[in-house]
Amino acid sequence: MATIASRAVPRRWPLLGMLGVALAAGLLFWVIAALPYLSLDPDHFGLGGPALWPRRYQLLVHIAGGTLALFVGPVQLWLGETRSKLAWHRALGNVYLVGVAVGAAGAYYLALSTPSGWLYASGLFGLAVAWTVTTGMAYLAIRARAIEQHREWMIRSFVVTLAFVVFRAVAVGLGTVGVGFAEAASFAAWACWAVPLLLLEPCLQWRKLRATR
Ligand code: HEM
């Protein structure tokens, strides 16, 4: 089993670049897509407004948890990958877990209560399951002191957290090429987490294959 000390520290600049891009994209989409809901003004509820207004308090709980996970995630990955400030890493890990737990609880409720059709609802429900499973596995791995598994599941978990950004980018992108809102949102609800997880897996496995050579 790999220990913290036995694993090579990755080069810092590429890692910092990737996490910086994730943080910047998260911040941009948070300001555009999440911030307006905090005003609790029905006029700021956007396209999904009529469906979300009756569930606004559950949505706020979901946004609070999602926001924690979105902004603590990159810091956590940085501290873990560079093996620096491990006491901070431990404390922020708990904050990340609380963020995902609260965000996912809200997400399950919102997915099960959305009036926007079963295809859309099932995609977002699947996303909530992926969020719970990846983060739960990261937690169980670190409890078992399985550092490499913890690292991999945390990366998967944060990629799933970023699905919030991918969802809006895909839905808006498809809208600009003429795809209807309902169709684009249903496609994005599945693609926003399934495709990034599929692309991530060969990257994680490739690293291990190289290490065994
Ligand atoms: C990764 C797991 C996530 C799941 C499963 C999830 C699920 C959902 C669901 C089911 C809805 C309601 C959609 C509707 O009824 O039409 C929703 C809306 C929303 N979520 Fe999440 N979400 C996740 C992550 C996040 C994160 C990290 C944030 C960041 C703050 C976030 C912010 C929002 C916002 C602002 C809305 C309002 C609708 C919109 O603007 O599109 N979500 N989410």
Side-chain angles (χ1 to χ4, degrees), residues 46 77 105 126 141 205 209:
L77 290 180
Q205 302 308 323
L209 275 181

Side-chain angles (χ1 to χ4, degrees), residues 26 29-30 32-37 45-48 51-52 55 59 62-71 100 103-104 106-116 120-121 123-132 157-165 167-168 181 192-193:
F29 277 81
W30 188 86
I32 294 171
L35 188 60
Y37 293 102
F45 264 52
L47 270 180
L52 283 167
R55 298 174 292 153
L59 176 66
H62 169 65
I63 291 178
T67 302
L68 272 185
L70 196 61
F71 295 124
V100 172
Y108 281 115
Y109 175 84
L110 292 170
L112 289 172
S113 61
T114 183
S116 305
Y120 174 73
L124 290 182
F125 189 86
L127 173 59
V129 173
W131 215 14
T132 312
S157 167
F158 186 61
V159 162
V160 173
T161 301
L162 278 182
F164 160 70
V165 175
F167 174 83
R168 268 97 198 153
F181 179 70
C192 72
W193 58 277

Side-chain angles (χ1 to χ4, degrees), residues 108 128-138 153:
Y108 281 115
V129 173
W131 215 14
T132 312
V133 170
T134 52
T135 312
M137 288 301 295
W153 283 109

Side-chain angles (χ1 to χ4, degrees), residues 206-213:
W206 177 248
R207 194 172 176 272
K208 282 196 282 193
L209 275 181
R210 275 186 29 178
T212 54
R213 277 212 213 125

